[in-house]
C-alpha cells in the first residue's frame, strides 16, 4: 500500500491525469485500503471524479490516523465531498438534501484528523445561505451570510494580515465573504474586497514569472498546490465576482494546466460551462 501512495504522489507531481491515477488505485483497492495515506489519496481522487457517495462512504467507515511526520487530507476531502454534492443537489432543487450536506461539511467527524478547523467555514456558510434563499427563507439566508462574514473576519483576526500581498487558502474565503456581502446589499464593500484580492493574486503571479533559483524550482515542482496555481485560481475567483467570466475562465484553465488535479479550478470551470449552456 505504501508503494501506491508514493507512486500516486509521484504521478501527481508530474501531472499525470487524475482519471488514470484513480483507475490504478481502484484496481488495487484491496491493497490500497491497508494504509490510511494511500486510501486518502484514493478518496481525494474520487472526489475529483465526482464520486462523492463512494468517497464519503470510505471516510465514514474508517478511523484515519496521522503518524509522526505524516499528513492526511481526509478532512478537506470530507468538506469538499459534502460541499460539492450539496451544490449538485441545490442545482437539482433538492433543498433538504443540499442543506444536510452543507451541515455535514461544517462538521468534520472525529474519525478524520484535522488541524484546519473552520478553514472552510465562510464558504460553507455562503452556500448554506444560497440553499435557504432557494427555499424562500430569506431570514435564514441572511443569518448564514452574516455568519460567513463574521467567520472570515474572525480567521483574519487570528492569523493577521497576509504578508507581502500574498495569497493563501484564506484568500478563497475572502472571495466567499465578498459574495456574502453582496447578498446582504453591501455591494461597494464586496467590489473593493474583490479588487484587492485580484491585486494580491497579480502580485504573486508577477513574482512567479521571475526566474527562481534551483531550490525554489524544486520546491514548487514538489508542491501540488504551488503559489502560482493558487494565485491563478484566486485571480479567477476575483474576476468571476467582478462579472468578468471569460477572464475568470482563462485563469481557472491556467490553474488546472499547472496542477491537473486542482479540484477548485475544475469545479469553477464546470460551473461556468453549465451556466453558459
Amino acid at each position: 500500500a505504501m508503494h501506491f501512495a508514493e507512486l500516486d504522489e509521484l504521478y501527481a507531481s508530474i501531472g499525470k491525469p487524475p482519471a488514470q491515477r484513480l483507475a490504478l488505485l481502484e484496481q488495487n483497492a484491496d491493497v490500497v485500503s491497508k494504509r490510511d495515506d494511500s486510501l486518502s489519496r484514493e478518496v481525494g481522487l474520487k472526489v475529483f471524479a465526482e464520486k462523492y457517495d463512494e468517497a464519503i462512504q470510505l471516510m465514514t467507515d474508517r478511523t484515519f490516523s496521522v503518524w509522526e511526520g505524516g499528513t492526511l487530507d481526509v478532512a478537506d476531502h470530507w468538506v469538499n465531498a459534502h460541499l460539492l454534492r450539496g451544490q449538485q443537489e441545490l442545482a437539482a432543487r433538492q433543498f433538504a438534501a443540499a442543506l444536510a450536506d452543507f451541515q455535514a461539511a461544517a462538521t468534520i467527524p472525529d474519525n478524520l484528523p484535522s488541524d484546519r478547523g473552520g478553514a472552510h467555514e465562510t464558504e460553507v456558510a455562503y452556500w448554506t445561505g444560497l440553499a435557504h434563499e432557494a427555499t424562500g427563507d430569506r431570514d435564514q439566508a441572511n443569518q448564514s451570510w452574516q455568519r460567513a462574514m463574521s467567520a472570515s473576519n474572525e480567521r483574519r483576526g487570528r492569523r493577521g494580515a497576509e504578508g507581502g500581498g500574498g495569497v493563501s487558502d484564506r484568500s478563497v474565503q475572502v472571495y466567499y465573504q465578498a459574495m456574502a456581502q453582496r447578498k446582504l446589499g453591501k455591494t461597494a464593500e464586496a467590489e473593493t474586497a474583490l479588487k484587492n484580492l485580484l491585486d494580491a493574486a497579480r502580485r504573486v503571479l508577477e513574482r512567479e514569472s521571475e526566474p527562481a533559483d534551483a531550490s525554489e524550482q524544486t520546491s514548487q515542482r514538489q508542491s501540488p498546490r504551488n503559489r502560482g496555481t493558487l494565485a491563478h485560481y484566486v485571480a479567477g475567483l476575483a474576476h468571476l465576482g467582478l462579472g468578468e467570466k471569460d477572464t475568470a475562465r482563462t485563469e481557472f484553465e491556467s490553474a488546472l494546466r499547472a496542477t491537473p488535479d486542482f479540484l477548485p479550478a475544475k469545479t469553477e470551470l464546470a460551473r461556468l460551462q453549465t451556466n453558459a449552456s
Side-chain angles (χ1 to χ4, degrees):
M2 179 179 67
H3 296 315
F4 281 106
E6 293 175 347
L7 182 60
D8 187 65
E9 184 177 358
L10 172 63
Y11 282 162
S13 72
I14 64 174
K16 192 175 182 69
Q20 295 179 24
R21 291 165 49 199
L22 176 59
L24 178 64
L25 296 178
E26 288 181 331
Q27 290 163 9
N28 296 275
D30 289 345
V31 177
V32 169
S33 65
K34 293 180 179 180
R35 280 180 63 100
D36 289 345
D37 54 353
S38 54
L39 184 58
S40 174
R41 300 192 74 87
E42 180 182 352
V43 168
L45 288 166
K46 282 183 181 292
V47 175
F48 190 90
E50 302 182 20
K51 297 182 177 182
Y52 307 129
D53 294 349
E54 294 179 26
I56 291 168
Q57 187 63 46
L58 287 173
M59 290 184 284
T60 300
D61 293 341
R62 183 188 184 110
T63 297
F64 288 78
S65 301
V66 178
W67 54 98
E68 184 176 355
T71 58
L72 289 178
D73 295 325
V74 281
D76 282 337
H77 299 334
W78 175 269
V79 174
N80 289 330
H82 282 287
L83 259 179
L84 295 174
R85 190 171 72 175
Q87 290 168 21
Q88 283 188 345
E89 292 158 345
L90 179 58
R93 303 186 64 80
Q94 299 170 2
F95 303 131
L99 283 168
D101 264 320
F102 295 150
Q103 177 59 42
T107 311
I108 298 174
D110 293 338
N111 64 307
L112 304 180
S114 173
D115 58 359
R116 285 162 40 85
H120 299 271
E121 190 174 354
T122 304
E123 182 178 1
V124 173
Y126 170 73
W127 281 101
T128 301
L130 290 186
H132 283 303
E133 180 185 45
T135 67
D137 193 340
R138 186 70 189 190
D139 288 341
Q140 285 291 331
N142 286 343
Q143 289 180 32
S144 295
W145 293 326
Q146 289 283 3
R147 190 165 63 252
M149 292 175 58
S150 62
S152 187
N153 288 334
E154 287 173 6
R155 288 186 63 78
R156 180 167 51 195
R158 288 196 298 267
R159 290 177 176 262
E162 293 170 2
V167 296
S168 69
D169 288 343
R170 193 186 67 75
S171 304
V172 178
Q173 302 309 303
V174 171
Y175 164 77
Y176 285 105
Q177 181 188 36
M179 294 297 96
Q181 287 177 319
R182 183 172 288 167
K183 283 292 187 179
L184 292 170
K186 300 182 178 183
T187 306
E189 294 94 326
E191 185 164 333
T192 297
L194 291 168
K195 289 180 178 178
N196 289 340
L197 205 58
L198 182 57
D199 287 342
R202 282 173 171 167
R203 285 194 293 270
V204 172
L205 290 171
E206 288 172 1
R207 290 199 299 269
E208 291 299 301
S209 66
E210 298 173 356
D213 61 35
S215 62
E216 290 176 335
Q217 290 174 352
T218 300
S219 174
Q220 289 183 16
R221 283 199 303 270
Q222 291 174 342
S223 171
R225 297 184 57 176
N226 62 58
R227 289 170 298 177
T229 298
L230 186 58
H232 277 301
Y233 175 61
V234 169
L237 289 178
H239 283 299
L240 186 62
L242 293 168
E244 301 162 353
K245 294 183 179 179
D246 289 341
T247 311
R249 181 181 291 105
T250 298
E251 293 290 356
F252 295 145
E253 289 170 347
S254 295
L256 208 55
R257 277 196 301 271
T259 308
D261 63 353
F262 192 65
L263 176 63
K266 179 209 173 193
T267 300
E268 293 300 337
L269 280 172
R271 186 174 292 123
L272 282 170
Q273 181 63 34
T274 299
N275 292 338
S277 59

